[in-house]
Amino acid sequence: EISRVMLAIKSIFAQSDDIDTVIFDEIDTGISGKASQSVADEIKELAKFHQIVLITHQPIIASKADKHFYVRKSQEDETKVEVYVLTGDNRIKALAELAGGEINERSIEFAKSLVNA
């Protein structure tokens, strides 16, 4: 909830705020498709004035980003974190996996529709 409250506050003061970067973690928790679209639109608007770093599991929100990173964490003897920049088909595949849990024709078509919306 606090992330969405901060989004609302930041949106109101976006043009007069001196903060360069805004970070939102899990802003999508507990919201559905229609609410996700509203949050995505607000974040896209806020991004006109600030650099936005956003962690999300909602493909509707993620699809609005100008740049995507895939973060993978593994734990064996030690914790490892790998970060990859996603471009082109890899970006579509990552959004498709978020949307459908697996990469198939339907999830890829949905991901493409989000990016082209």
Side-chain angles (χ1 to χ4, degrees):
E1 297 296 323
I2 194 80
S3 288
R4 290 189 290 275
V5 170
M6 286 306 300
L7 175 60
I9 292 168
K10 285 293 177 193
S11 296
I12 292 168
F13 296 106
Q15 293 182 23
S16 61
D17 197 334
D18 286 339
I19 296 172
D20 295 327
T21 303
V22 181
I23 300 171
F24 293 105
D25 183 14
E26 306 285 342
I27 197 167
D28 56 357
T29 301
I31 61 174
S32 64
K34 190 171 185 176
S36 292
Q37 187 62 56
S38 295
V39 168
D41 293 341
E42 279 300 318
I43 290 169
K44 189 70 173 176
E45 188 64 27
L46 189 61
K48 293 177 182 176
F49 306 100
H50 304 282
Q51 175 182 344
I52 306 294
V53 176
L54 181 104
I55 298 143
T56 185
H57 293 100
Q58 282 279 356
I60 292 169
I61 295 173
S63 69
K64 300 294 184 190
D66 295 325
K67 194 165 197 172
H68 289 95
F69 296 89
Y70 186 85
V71 180
R72 179 178 23 207
K73 179 176 127 180
S74 61
Q75 290 178 290
E76 290 178 17
D77 293 337
E78 60 184 41
T79 301
K80 293 183 182 181
V81 177
E82 298 173 273
V83 180
Y84 304 96
V85 176
L86 296 173
T87 58
D89 286 344
N90 288 333
R91 177 180 179 216
I92 296 297
K93 287 177 183 175
L95 289 170
E97 187 174 20
L98 271 179
E102 61 183 54
I103 300 169
N104 58 40
E105 188 176 319
R106 291 180 81 184
S107 63
I108 287 176
E109 287 304 313
F110 180 68
K112 286 180 181 177
S113 74
L114 291 175
V115 170
N116 295 323

